[in-house]
Amino acid sequence: MNKEYDVVIIGGGPAGLSAGLYTARSRLKSLLIEKEMIGGKIVNAELVENYPGFPEGINGYELTQLMHRQATRFGLKTLTAEVTALDVSGKQKIVKTNEGDLTARAIIIASGSKEQTLNVPGEKEFTGRGVSYCATCDAALFAELPVAVVGGGNAAVYDALQLAKFASSVVVVHRRQELRATRITQEQAFAEPKIKFLWNTVVESIDGADTVKSLKLRNVVTGEKSNLEVGGVFVAIGFKPNTAYLKGLLPLDEAGYIITNEKMEASVPGILAAGDIRSNSIRQLVSAAGDGATAAIYAERYLTASR
Ligand code: NAP
């Protein structure tokens, strides 16, 4: 494998794929590194309805496969590997991976984020046995069972709506009294008779035997404790950034996301960030793709200026 690139893109979600399309079309020698499956989190979306150009919606996996095919057509190379560290001290930057080291003159970081966990007793133990982080993947496994969803954002409410198609009942457990999800999504959930809400409530533990049987809950206003019998619980409480390999190289915001300017440049010349990993990202497919294009264009300008 050739080990010297103009641009290395870390992460194969929509931000990375879009960046790769642009750098490849700019005739920059480009490599995209992805440790898992190409496509990122959106591969789990049954139907993406808010990406322009697909009036009937499109399956998330299919969309990212199309993006990958499009970028590959213009010469983007892909490597399945995990990035373990970066050395960005020189003009020629080093990308260390479990498949060996590579060099790049510019790096676009688009490694996204992963699901936040509740960190309560039983969560780890029952993951895959009643605890899930992906309703789109697992909803059908809970046919005719009572389930709970934890969270109050778009993901939680979408999960509840998805689960209502299969489960006997869905209880959304939210730590506050109002949802963060967009109005239209909230309205859909409020109109669905199978979905109920438990406000101001947190999960204290997830209990069961072979699989999940119940949740111990606490009302954060009254302090009252209760038990909720469920066959499964879907955790949808947001994400945390995949920045472990950056280890103090770049300034991050309080939540650990990379701080960039409007050109997607991080504070080290030649290092850019795009998509969910970026501070203040609105974490949408369309904005990730836009970030990727912006990062690619400014990576090219950096490379031209620093020749
Ligand atoms: P989010 O909007 O950050 O919401 C996370 C929810 O989890 C919040 O309601 C939060 O409560 C709650 N929460 C956080 N930590 C918690 C904890 N430790 N215990 C209990 N509850 C906790 O995350 P998201 O819903 O995953 O969405 C992420 C982004 O993706 C958003 O920008 C969202 O709009 C976007 N998204 C878009 C779509 C779509 O448009 N198709 C679908 C899904 C997601 P508080 O409200 O009290 O903070």
Side-chain angles (χ1 to χ4, degrees), residues 146-207:
V147 296
V149 176
V150 187
N154 272 324
V157 179
Y158 273 119
D159 282 4
L161 286 164
Q162 174 71 8
L163 282 157
K165 296 179 195 159
F166 301 93
S168 57
S169 63
V170 183
V171 176
V172 178
V173 179
H174 183 35
R175 65 181 178 184
R176 286 188 305 130
Q177 203 161 344
E178 61 179 346
L179 297 172
R180 189 182 284 282
T182 46
R183 282 276 165 214
I184 190 163
T185 316
Q186 292 192 25
E187 284 162 16
Q188 286 168 6
F190 292 146
E192 168 54 61
K194 274 193 189 174
I195 301 176
K196 302 274 177 278
F197 290 84
L198 272 181
W199 305 110
N200 298 317
T201 303
V202 293
V203 176
E204 291 205 316
S205 71
I206 301 171
D207 306 311

Side-chain angles (χ1 to χ4, degrees), residues 86-94 107 249 268-269 271 302:
L86 301 179
D87 179 345
V88 297
S89 51
K91 212 165 153 184
Q92 198 78 319
K93 293 144 185 50
I94 301 165
I107 298 174
L249 284 182
V268 174
I271 307 294
Y302 163 79

Side-chain angles (χ1 to χ4, degrees), residues 41-42 45 47-50 113 116-120 150-159 173-182 185 201-203 235-239 257 276 281-285:
K41 287 193 296 294
I42 200 70
L47 189 66
V48 176
E49 289 186 312
N50 54 7
S113 56
Q116 194 88 252
T117 53
L118 286 166
N119 298 326
V120 295
V150 187
N154 272 324
V157 179
Y158 273 119
D159 282 4
V173 179
H174 183 35
R175 65 181 178 184
R176 286 188 305 130
Q177 203 161 344
E178 61 179 346
L179 297 172
R180 189 182 284 282
T182 46
T185 316
T201 303
V202 293
V203 176
V235 180
I237 59 167
F239 297 91
Y257 291 89
D276 285 15
S281 159
I282 54 166
R283 285 180 253 165
Q284 298 295 301
L285 191 52

